[in-house]
Amino acid sequence: MLRFIEDQRGQRQQEDPLQGLRETPPRLSPRYFYDSLGSHLFAAITELDEYYPTRLERSILVGQGDAIARSVGPGRTMVDLGAGDCVKAELLLHRLQPAHYVAIDVAGDFLKSSLRRIEAGFPRLKITGVAADFSAGLQWPEDLECRRPLFFYPGSSIGNFSLPDARALLRSLWQACAQSDEGCGDLLIGVDLLKSAARMQDAYDDALGVTASFNLNLLRHLNRIAGADFDVRAFRHRAHFNDERQRIEMWLVSRCDQQVRWHGGHRMLRAGEAILTECSYKYSQEGFSALLRDSGFEVVRRWLDDTRGFLVCHARGIAG
Ligand code: AVJ
């Protein structure tokens, strides 16, 4: 049983996606990585030797799946935030036994095809797909019931947000828990932990150049949706760990002096000048627990992989 909802409310229609190009340094939002090709490229990244987060998280979800299922319990509304290919939820579905699987993603068509696969594998599961952008805070679709939600936010996607923005997003999940049918809800969230800079940097600058393609595809996507005229060949990918801010930064470095035009503006870029496209914050275990607490959640249980490189937390929205 599969239903699909297109929810435009979070989409910030009025906003110019290239607004950030006017800033110093110029920046573009990582939300524009995920057109159909971008979603496929990200799926390819998760198969790279260098990109450890997916592998470590998978080892936790598979190896400790029984403990996770015991901690969470059956019959929940499992809300997959940024579901993408739905592969991580799929690892848990048979053990978690949710009453309803709600998958939310900005890339609606990609999500739809993923959900058809889930439907084939779990023919008795109630499934709802929602094409929506929840990055500025989750707004629960009006005509969708929400009983005992378990917000599933894997993949260290929370790492894309600055600390205040992460707090605001988690707070919106807390609010959705509080406003759900029984007034309570949980969170199952995965986050990448701090480790050696070299290991982290390699994960965002792989030998095959898949991450470089993923980064550059942002320009192609913006050419299409915002009438920009980026010359993709005039940029190169750069990734590095910013030690002070404890985050990986991805940049697109201009190879030459050039002018970029789009519907609504233009900007001159000098050779070597770079556009910030993504930040991926890395946490300590303590730092992440503090973030959860500050956002209204208490940690129920935590699981680490064997290398202690990745953390999965089961947290509960605190009433009040
Ligand atoms: C999907 C945001 C978790 O930051 O690791 C992977 C995206 N960017 N390689 C991450 C990403 C480049 C990924 N998140």
Side-chain angles (χ1 to χ4, degrees):
M1 196 191 359
L2 171 59
R3 178 185 167 208
F4 208 83
I5 301 171
E6 310 265 349
D7 188 344
Q8 311 272 306
R9 287 173 304 168
Q11 222 102 11
R12 314 178 224 210
Q13 232 101 14
Q14 315 78 316
E15 198 177 290
D16 179 0
L18 287 139
Q19 186 63 33
L21 269 197
R22 300 176 206 272
E23 290 167 33
T24 316
R27 52 187 80 216
L28 293 169
S29 168
R31 116 174 38 104
Y32 300 110
F33 283 134
Y34 301 96
D35 62 351
S36 173
L37 177 57
S39 299
H40 280 99
L41 286 169
F42 180 67
I45 285 174
T46 66
E47 300 208 24
L48 294 168
D49 292 336
E50 294 96 331
Y51 194 74
Y52 60 82
T54 311
R55 228 174 11 257
L56 299 190
E57 185 175 45
R58 178 193 303 252
S59 79
I60 298 170
L61 298 181
V62 172
Q64 325 225 43
D66 288 333
I68 293 171
R70 270 198 307 277
S71 189
V72 166
R76 316 228 25 172
T77 300
M78 181 181 187
V79 186
D80 194 348
L81 299 165
D85 56 17
C86 303
V87 164
K88 285 171 188 164
E90 205 172 5
L91 294 174
L92 286 176
L93 280 174
H94 60 286
R95 285 196 263 205
L96 230 45
Q97 298 285 333
H100 186 183
Y101 175 56
V102 179
I104 308 179
D105 204 283
V106 275
D109 291 335
F110 188 80
L111 178 63
K112 229 178 259 182
S113 63
S114 310
L115 286 178
R116 276 195 273 272
R117 192 193 70 237
I118 299 291
E119 191 185 26
F122 299 84
R124 293 207 305 275
L125 179 63
K126 180 178 173 189
I127 302 171
T128 305
V130 184
D133 181 1
F134 58 85
S135 56
L138 181 75
Q139 293 176 280
W140 192 257
E142 270 138 31
D143 58 341
L144 191 62
E145 63 160 12
C146 186
R147 300 204 50 201
R148 301 180 61 226
L150 171 74
F151 289 102
F152 181 50
Y153 200 29
S156 203
S157 297
I158 192 69
N160 265 177
F161 297 86
S162 68
L163 203 54
D165 289 354
R167 244 184 248 123
L169 176 59
L170 293 176
R171 194 70 191 163
S172 80
L173 299 182
W174 176 87
Q175 199 137 20
C177 291
Q179 289 167 354
S180 69
D181 292 350
E182 268 116 67
C184 57
D186 292 7
L187 178 62
L188 187 63
I189 185 167
V191 71
D192 193 18
L193 298 175
L194 285 159
K195 53 184 66 61
S196 88
R199 182 117 189 276
M200 292 189 285
Q201 260 160 212
D202 283 353
Y204 294 82
D205 194 8
D206 61 277
L208 285 177
V210 180
T211 307
S213 302
F214 174 73
N215 198 5
L216 289 161
N217 177 59
L218 178 77
L219 302 178
R220 234 188 100 261
H221 186 202
L222 287 170
N223 283 348
R224 202 171 64 242
I225 66 164
D229 69 347
F230 287 108
D231 175 4
V232 176
R233 291 180 193 275
F235 292 86
R236 66 182 171 78
H237 167 70
R238 190 171 106 87
H240 90 113
F241 182 66
N242 182 329
D243 202 31
E244 190 187 328
R245 298 187 157 158
Q246 308 223 304
R247 67 189 196 191
I248 287 280
E249 296 173 356
M250 294 213 308
W251 298 83
L252 288 167
V253 186
S254 179
R255 294 179 186 270
C256 56
D257 293 349
Q258 58 178 316
Q259 169 106 300
V260 179
R261 283 168 234 275
W262 68 95
H263 292 153
H266 57 88
R267 157 118 197 194
M268 180 74 201
L269 291 169
R270 295 283 168 207
E273 202 173 345
I275 304 169
L276 181 63
T277 58
E278 184 170 50
C279 295
S280 196
Y281 286 81
K282 306 301 174 186
Y283 284 87
S284 65
Q285 289 191 58
E286 305 73 43
F288 195 66
S289 296
L291 168 62
L292 289 173
R293 272 196 304 278
D294 293 348
S295 313
F297 290 92
E298 65 183 0
V299 175
V300 179
R301 268 201 75 171
R302 306 190 289 184
W303 299 272
L304 288 165
D305 69 287
D306 294 340
T307 68
R308 305 179 151 261
F310 201 94
L311 178 69
V312 171
C313 276
H314 174 205
R316 182 155 295 147
I318 303 163

